[in-house]
């Protein structure tokens, strides 16, 4: 995650502690608290989110992966991006995404609203970035969607097949889950607050990213 948000309770007499620096000093090198602020007692970093955005990076050169990118991409090889776009268009909208939920986290319902999937250039010519924004996600939903889209890009699924999988609402009907290393949480949106903006603002921004509330 580059823009995760968390919350926790603190004693009133600790409100003035520089929490960003204090917590970052205790965390491993690959985790940092970028900003923080005091929020209402009823604020919940999970349940008050309006939407979340994930990005998944695919690597398309089968002969090599740059060492700097190896931990952050799935080397899926060559794919038909247009076929993937066509399949992705089927997924946009409000649907029951049961077919793309892995077991492990109980939820009240499996209906989610997914924005049109965006395809962006990556950090190198060998990459594409697939951006997913929704009002919420099921367990490993993005990785399951990517696994399905890549199969479409390999010519193994048509857009109609993806629609059938979606309508069937059976996880067993969908392709395997994509690897974890290509996935990043890049934004959590709340009323009046965007965690991605806070992440870009760093320590000087109010409200927290990967931080204390």
């Amino acid at each position: 995650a580059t823009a995760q948000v968390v919350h926790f309770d603190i004693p009133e007499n600790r409100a003035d502690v520089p929490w960003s620096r204090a917590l970052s000093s205790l965390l491993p090198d690959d985790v940092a608290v970028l900003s923080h602020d005091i929020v209402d007692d009823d604020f919940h970093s999970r349940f008050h989110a309006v939407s979340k955005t994930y990005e998944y990076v695919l690597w398309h050169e089968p002969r090599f992966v740059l060492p700097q990118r190896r931990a952050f991409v799935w080397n899926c090889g060559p794919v038909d991006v247009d076929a993937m776009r066509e399949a992705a268009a089927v997924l946009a909208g409000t649907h029951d995404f049961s077919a793309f939920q892995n077991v492990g986290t109980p939820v009240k319902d499996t209906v989610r609203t997914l924005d049109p999937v965006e395809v962006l250039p990556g950090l190198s010519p060998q990459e594409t970035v697939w951006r997913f924004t929704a009002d919420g996600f099921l367990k490993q939903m993005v990785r399951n969607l990517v696994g399905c889209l890549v199969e479409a890009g390999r010519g193994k699924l048509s857009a109609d097949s993806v629609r059938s999988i979606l309508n069937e609402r059976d996880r067993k009907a969908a392709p395997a889950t994509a690897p974890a290393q290509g996935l990043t949480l890049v934004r959590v949106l709340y009323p009046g607050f965007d965690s991605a903006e806070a992440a870009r603002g760093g320590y000087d921004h109010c409200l927290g990213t990967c931080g204390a509330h």
Side-chain angles (χ1 to χ4, degrees):
T2 59
Q4 180 63 277
V5 178
V6 305
H7 74 273
F8 60 88
D9 297 326
I10 58 172
E12 288 187 12
N13 63 354
R14 296 297 182 109
D16 293 333
V17 168
W19 286 104
S20 298
R21 294 197 304 273
L23 291 173
S24 292
S25 69
L26 301 174
L27 292 167
D29 290 341
D30 57 353
V31 182
V33 180
L34 301 182
S35 58
H36 73 275
D37 200 2
I38 305 299
V39 295
D40 293 339
D41 289 342
D42 64 350
F43 175 82
H44 196 290
S45 58
R46 177 185 173 192
F47 299 128
H48 289 173
V50 175
S51 70
K52 294 182 180 180
T53 299
Y54 287 89
E55 291 181 351
Y56 196 101
V57 184
L58 297 176
W59 185 274
H60 304 292
E61 173 51 69
R63 296 171 298 175
F64 72 94
V65 181
L66 290 175
Q68 303 95 320
R69 302 298 293 146
R70 189 169 292 130
F72 307 104
V73 300
W74 174 21
N75 186 8
C76 68
V79 293
D80 183 337
V81 172
D82 288 337
M84 293 178 66
R85 289 179 189 269
E86 186 178 354
V90 171
L91 301 169
T94 302
H95 305 286
D96 186 331
F97 283 95
S98 299
F100 300 98
Q101 175 188 230
N102 287 354
V103 297
T105 303
V107 291
K108 292 181 179 179
D109 67 77
T110 50
V111 175
R112 300 291 186 272
T113 299
L114 180 68
D115 291 353
V117 178
E118 300 176 72
V119 187
L120 309 170
L123 294 179
S124 71
Q126 295 82 14
E127 300 174 11
T128 56
V129 180
W130 297 76
R131 180 179 290 170
F132 299 82
T133 298
D135 58 357
F137 290 91
L138 305 171
K139 183 175 177 61
Q140 296 179 341
M141 176 175 156
V142 175
R143 290 169 57 191
N144 290 329
L145 293 175
V146 171
C148 187
L149 294 181
V150 166
E151 290 299 279
R154 290 170 173 170
K156 297 181 179 180
L157 289 175
S158 66
D160 286 339
S161 299
V162 174
R163 183 179 290 105
S164 296
I165 292 171
L166 182 65
N167 292 335
E168 194 168 344
R169 303 176 185 177
D170 182 358
R171 179 70 191 102
K172 295 179 181 178
T177 306
Q181 68 265 25
L183 183 68
T184 303
L185 174 65
V186 298
R187 167 174 283 142
V188 186
L189 188 65
Y190 300 90
F193 170 69
D194 183 342
S195 72
E197 294 291 338
R200 286 192 289 270
Y203 289 100
D204 294 329
H205 198 289
C206 68
L207 218 81
T209 308
C210 289
H213 293 239

